[in-house]
Amino acid sequence: MLLSLSHAQEFEKNQLVIKIKKGFFSKQKFDAAKNITGIQSLDQLNQNNVIRKMVPIGRIEDTTSLLLEFNSDTDVVSVLKIYAENPAIDFAEPNYIAHGAGVKGADTFSTFPNDSYFLSRQWGLYNNGTFSASGMTTATDADVDMELAWDVETGNPNMIIAVSDSGLNMSHEDIAARVWTKPVEIIDGIDNDGNGLIDDYRGWDWVSNDNNPTDDHGHGTNCSGIIGSIANNGKGYAGVNWNSKIMPLKVLNSSNSATYAAMANSLYYAVDNGAKVVSMSIGGSSTSSLIANAISYMKTNNVLLVACMMNNNNEVANYPAAYSTAYDNVIAVGSTDANDKRTQPFFWSSTSGSSYGNHINVVAPGNYIYGLGIDSNTSYNSYWGGTSQATPLVAGVASLILSKKPTLTPAQVRNILQLTAEDMKGVPAEDTAGFDKYHGWGRINAYAALNSVVLNTSDIEKEDQLRIINPVVNGYLEIINRKKLKGVPISPYPVLKAG
Ligand SMILES: [Ca+2]
Ligand SMILES: [Ca+2]
Ligand SMILES: [Ca+2]
Ligand SMILES: [Ca+2]
């Protein structure tokens, strides 16, 4: 199907993304190095339009998808039409451009102490009411109850969480030991695992097309650190997940833009290399068969995609987040402030705000989010704001849920996060009872989510954290968790059956 292109849509001017129909594709005849697809009519088209190169997206035999690059003076809009009409083509679309959804604030050196960062700065995880930032009020307990969640689960060391972003400062002292590596891929100039990428032993960079996904922007390092900063090392920050590996995938360039081809490639790579969760704090306004196909591939392989709503303070849908309505392995995430209200605005622009719409699933803390920086390997004084920051927090909690119960499907994880989210915390006009388009099902609560996994799996080793209130009222069991008993000694309570 031919897409109509509006001027508002950004795309690479000399590139096209195509998918060859499965029946037309032959691995034997295909040769990317020689720009040969093995399909006569298509090769003729490529020749006529002078393609410079042809790059597979994902494993070509699975995806039959290709990025075509033409000479710079090609009119992609008219070329697109010709390709779309070729009988061997499933779809053709521009290589759209998306943007990271977080903005960095000025580094702070004096407003906050340089120690005890967890208590003083990580309000989204544990909010003791003392966090102070210009334009944002703070309320005790406007957080995800992370300190309680860690009593239940801190993460499976064998799990991989991919962060598709601007890369990662892989040498930073507070995350270096957490970076995923692929033992089979030796650094020898040879593609040892035959995935088409040479020496991709620690992820990939689709901006420069090399094996070094080092962050040159900062967005990806902040997002990765939210999930995987080394906890309990007396330095910097505590990541949501203390043990799992972080797979850095670079798709955003130093100016915060990513092509859809790079994004799709990173999704296929994450699946093919064993990631269970992908955090993608990037969004673009164009729909895309390429991205939808990659999400479908993730679903088939039980991989969860957590994506951001974007920061436009309006109802315009952004992708991949908006694919949450079509695919239940996608969680679309909005942002809240330290007072539990929907972020409006973020600190960096008075007209910004957490975008909304009926495709939103949950919200999470996302404004003034301190984390790891790229200035040095001991850089701690940067903070960012955006649905970009809320997204890895949700991805991190999802990874803990999957660590606790690996057999859960992405759809079940999404459901747990939705059912245990805290509702009616925002502005009453927006945060109506149950689902609303501004907050989805509410602000996630990591502790409630993990507890629900524990309860549903009859794992009662954490029973002492729960108190079942007697009598049963109106047929409902009321469970008070340790959260509500803060400061109150926990004594044994009988576990009651529903009445
Ligand atoms: Ca390889
Ligand atoms: Ca190698
Ligand atoms: Ca740390
Ligand atoms: Ca609500």
mmCIF file of all heavy atoms in Angstrom, residues 182 184-186 190-201 204 269 273, ligand 1:
data_model
loop_
_atom_site.group_PDB
_atom_site.id
_atom_site.type_symbol
_atom_site.label_atom_id
_atom_site.label_comp_id
_atom_site.label_asym_id
_atom_site.label_seq_id
_atom_site.Cartn_x
_atom_site.Cartn_y
_atom_site.Cartn_z
ATOM 1 N N LYS A 182 28.677 -10.582 24.099
ATOM 2 C CA LYS A 182 28.328 -11.830 23.400
ATOM 3 C C LYS A 182 29.593 -12.660 23.249
ATOM 4 O O LYS A 182 30.431 -12.368 22.384
ATOM 5 C CB LYS A 182 27.723 -11.473 22.036
ATOM 6 C CG LYS A 182 27.375 -12.671 21.189
ATOM 7 C CD LYS A 182 26.356 -12.345 20.096
ATOM 8 C CE LYS A 182 26.805 -11.347 19.064
ATOM 9 N NZ LYS A 182 25.814 -11.178 17.969
ATOM 10 N N VAL A 184 30.417 -15.424 21.952
ATOM 11 C CA VAL A 184 30.725 -16.106 20.684
ATOM 12 C C VAL A 184 31.364 -15.147 19.675
ATOM 13 O O VAL A 184 32.068 -15.569 18.759
ATOM 14 C CB VAL A 184 29.445 -16.750 20.090
ATOM 15 C CG1 VAL A 184 28.450 -15.680 19.670
ATOM 16 C CG2 VAL A 184 29.783 -17.646 18.914
ATOM 17 N N GLU A 185 31.143 -13.860 19.865
ATOM 18 C CA GLU A 185 31.693 -12.884 18.900
ATOM 19 C C GLU A 185 33.053 -12.387 19.400
ATOM 20 O O GLU A 185 33.143 -11.565 20.304
ATOM 21 C CB GLU A 185 30.723 -11.717 18.728
ATOM 22 C CG GLU A 185 31.085 -10.750 17.612
ATOM 23 C CD GLU A 185 31.106 -11.381 16.222
ATOM 24 O OE1 GLU A 185 30.027 -11.650 15.641
ATOM 25 O OE2 GLU A 185 32.229 -11.597 15.716
ATOM 26 N N ILE A 186 34.106 -12.922 18.789
ATOM 27 C CA ILE A 186 35.480 -12.541 19.170
ATOM 28 C C ILE A 186 35.880 -11.294 18.385
ATOM 29 O O ILE A 186 35.457 -11.114 17.242
ATOM 30 C CB ILE A 186 36.452 -13.697 18.831
ATOM 31 C CG1 ILE A 186 35.965 -14.990 19.497
ATOM 32 C CG2 ILE A 186 37.869 -13.377 19.265
ATOM 33 C CD1 ILE A 186 36.488 -16.238 18.810
ATOM 34 N N ILE A 190 36.159 -10.795 12.162
ATOM 35 C CA ILE A 190 35.344 -11.819 11.503
ATOM 36 C C ILE A 190 33.957 -11.851 12.159
ATOM 37 O O ILE A 190 33.834 -11.666 13.366
ATOM 38 C CB ILE A 190 36.027 -13.203 11.647
ATOM 39 C CG1 ILE A 190 37.339 -13.217 10.842
ATOM 40 C CG2 ILE A 190 35.103 -14.338 11.199
ATOM 41 C CD1 ILE A 190 38.229 -14.394 11.176
ATOM 42 N N ASP A 191 32.948 -12.080 11.341
ATOM 43 C CA ASP A 191 31.578 -12.194 11.855
ATOM 44 C C ASP A 191 31.372 -13.613 12.395
ATOM 45 O O ASP A 191 30.824 -14.472 11.719
ATOM 46 C CB ASP A 191 30.598 -11.876 10.719
ATOM 47 C CG ASP A 191 29.151 -12.050 11.137
ATOM 48 O OD1 ASP A 191 28.885 -12.129 12.359
ATOM 49 O OD2 ASP A 191 28.289 -12.095 10.236
ATOM 50 N N ASN A 192 31.826 -13.861 13.622
ATOM 51 C CA ASN A 192 31.857 -15.222 14.166
ATOM 52 C C ASN A 192 30.491 -15.887 14.255
ATOM 53 O O ASN A 192 30.373 -17.092 14.055
ATOM 54 C CB ASN A 192 32.504 -15.233 15.553
ATOM 55 C CG ASN A 192 33.862 -14.571 15.561
ATOM 56 O OD1 ASN A 192 33.962 -13.368 15.759
ATOM 57 N ND2 ASN A 192 34.902 -15.330 15.306
ATOM 58 N N ASP A 193 29.464 -15.116 14.585
ATOM 59 C CA ASP A 193 28.150 -15.745 14.751
ATOM 60 C C ASP A 193 27.291 -15.634 13.489
ATOM 61 O O ASP A 193 26.123 -16.040 13.485
ATOM 62 C CB ASP A 193 27.413 -15.176 15.973
ATOM 63 C CG ASP A 193 27.044 -13.707 15.802
ATOM 64 O OD1 ASP A 193 27.583 -13.053 14.867
ATOM 65 O OD2 ASP A 193 26.229 -13.202 16.588
ATOM 66 N N GLY A 194 27.887 -15.103 12.423
ATOM 67 C CA GLY A 194 27.200 -15.101 11.133
ATOM 68 C C GLY A 194 25.919 -14.297 11.083
ATOM 69 O O GLY A 194 25.012 -14.606 10.316
ATOM 70 N N ASN A 195 25.822 -13.247 11.875
ATOM 71 C CA ASN A 195 24.597 -12.434 11.850
ATOM 72 C C ASN A 195 24.740 -11.219 10.940
ATOM 73 O O ASN A 195 23.897 -10.327 10.947
ATOM 74 C CB ASN A 195 24.212 -12.005 13.272
ATOM 75 C CG ASN A 195 25.178 -11.010 13.870
ATOM 76 O OD1 ASN A 195 26.291 -10.822 13.365
ATOM 77 N ND2 ASN A 195 24.768 -10.363 14.944
ATOM 78 N N GLY A 196 25.830 -11.178 10.177
ATOM 79 C CA GLY A 196 26.016 -10.076 9.230
ATOM 80 C C GLY A 196 26.741 -8.881 9.816
ATOM 81 O O GLY A 196 27.042 -7.919 9.105
ATOM 82 N N LEU A 197 27.022 -8.924 11.114
ATOM 83 C CA LEU A 197 27.682 -7.798 11.774
ATOM 84 C C LEU A 197 29.026 -8.276 12.337
ATOM 85 O O LEU A 197 29.081 -9.236 13.109
ATOM 86 C CB LEU A 197 26.803 -7.245 12.900
ATOM 87 C CG LEU A 197 25.381 -6.833 12.492
ATOM 88 C CD1 LEU A 197 24.582 -6.388 13.714
ATOM 89 C CD2 LEU A 197 25.414 -5.720 11.448
ATOM 90 N N ILE A 198 30.077 -7.601 11.945
ATOM 91 C CA ILE A 198 31.423 -8.015 12.356
ATOM 92 C C ILE A 198 31.752 -7.505 13.756
ATOM 93 O O ILE A 198 31.619 -6.318 14.042
ATOM 94 C CB ILE A 198 32.466 -7.516 11.327
ATOM 95 C CG1 ILE A 198 32.242 -8.215 9.983
ATOM 96 C CG2 ILE A 198 33.887 -7.750 11.836
ATOM 97 C CD1 ILE A 198 32.978 -7.564 8.826
ATOM 98 N N ASP A 199 32.164 -8.439 14.607
ATOM 99 C CA ASP A 199 32.622 -8.118 15.969
ATOM 100 C C ASP A 199 31.584 -7.345 16.795
ATOM 101 O O ASP A 199 31.925 -6.450 17.569
ATOM 102 C CB ASP A 199 33.947 -7.312 15.923
ATOM 103 C CG ASP A 199 35.092 -8.129 15.347
ATOM 104 O OD1 ASP A 199 34.901 -9.334 15.118
ATOM 105 O OD2 ASP A 199 36.176 -7.557 15.123
ATOM 106 N N ASP A 200 30.339 -7.730 16.663
ATOM 107 C CA ASP A 200 29.290 -7.080 17.464
ATOM 108 C C ASP A 200 29.221 -7.760 18.836
ATOM 109 O O ASP A 200 28.224 -8.351 19.206
ATOM 110 C CB ASP A 200 27.928 -7.156 16.756
ATOM 111 C CG ASP A 200 27.495 -8.578 16.450
ATOM 112 O OD1 ASP A 200 28.326 -9.365 15.972
ATOM 113 O OD2 ASP A 200 26.325 -8.905 16.723
ATOM 114 N N TYR A 201 30.288 -7.619 19.592
ATOM 115 C CA TYR A 201 30.382 -8.344 20.878
ATOM 116 C C TYR A 201 29.677 -7.606 22.002
ATOM 117 O O TYR A 201 29.484 -8.143 23.077
ATOM 118 C CB TYR A 201 31.844 -8.599 21.240
ATOM 119 C CG TYR A 201 32.629 -7.359 21.610
ATOM 120 C CD1 TYR A 201 32.931 -7.078 22.943
ATOM 121 C CD2 TYR A 201 33.055 -6.479 20.624
ATOM 122 C CE1 TYR A 201 33.640 -5.937 23.278
ATOM 123 C CE2 TYR A 201 33.760 -5.337 20.951
ATOM 124 C CZ TYR A 201 34.052 -5.076 22.292
ATOM 125 O OH TYR A 201 34.747 -3.937 22.622
ATOM 126 N N TRP A 204 25.489 -2.818 18.898
ATOM 127 C CA TRP A 204 25.808 -2.296 17.563
ATOM 128 C C TRP A 204 25.420 -0.827 17.473
ATOM 129 O O TRP A 204 24.548 -0.357 18.215
ATOM 130 C CB TRP A 204 25.094 -3.101 16.485
ATOM 131 C CG TRP A 204 25.591 -2.834 15.098
ATOM 132 C CD1 TRP A 204 24.980 -2.075 14.150
ATOM 133 C CD2 TRP A 204 26.808 -3.315 14.524
ATOM 134 N NE1 TRP A 204 25.757 -2.056 13.010
ATOM 135 C CE2 TRP A 204 26.885 -2.806 13.214
ATOM 136 C CE3 TRP A 204 27.863 -4.125 14.998
ATOM 137 C CZ2 TRP A 204 27.953 -3.077 12.359
ATOM 138 C CZ3 TRP A 204 28.922 -4.401 14.141
ATOM 139 C CH2 TRP A 204 28.963 -3.880 12.836
ATOM 140 N N TYR A 269 17.643 -7.061 16.231
ATOM 141 C CA TYR A 269 18.902 -7.465 16.885
ATOM 142 C C TYR A 269 18.645 -7.879 18.328
ATOM 143 O O TYR A 269 19.166 -8.894 18.804
ATOM 144 C CB TYR A 269 19.907 -6.313 16.841
ATOM 145 C CG TYR A 269 21.276 -6.678 17.364
ATOM 146 C CD1 TYR A 269 22.296 -7.103 16.498
ATOM 147 C CD2 TYR A 269 21.577 -6.601 18.721
ATOM 148 C CE1 TYR A 269 23.549 -7.443 16.970
ATOM 149 C CE2 TYR A 269 22.827 -6.946 19.212
ATOM 150 C CZ TYR A 269 23.817 -7.356 18.333
ATOM 151 O OH TYR A 269 25.057 -7.705 18.808
ATOM 152 N N ASN A 273 19.333 -11.672 19.710
ATOM 153 C CA ASN A 273 20.435 -11.846 20.651
ATOM 154 C C ASN A 273 19.963 -12.026 22.094
ATOM 155 O O ASN A 273 20.736 -11.860 23.028
ATOM 156 C CB ASN A 273 21.421 -10.684 20.529
ATOM 157 C CG ASN A 273 22.213 -10.763 19.231
ATOM 158 O OD1 ASN A 273 23.186 -11.488 19.121
ATOM 159 N ND2 ASN A 273 21.757 -10.039 18.216
HETATM 160 CA CA CA B 1 28.407 -10.988 14.337
#
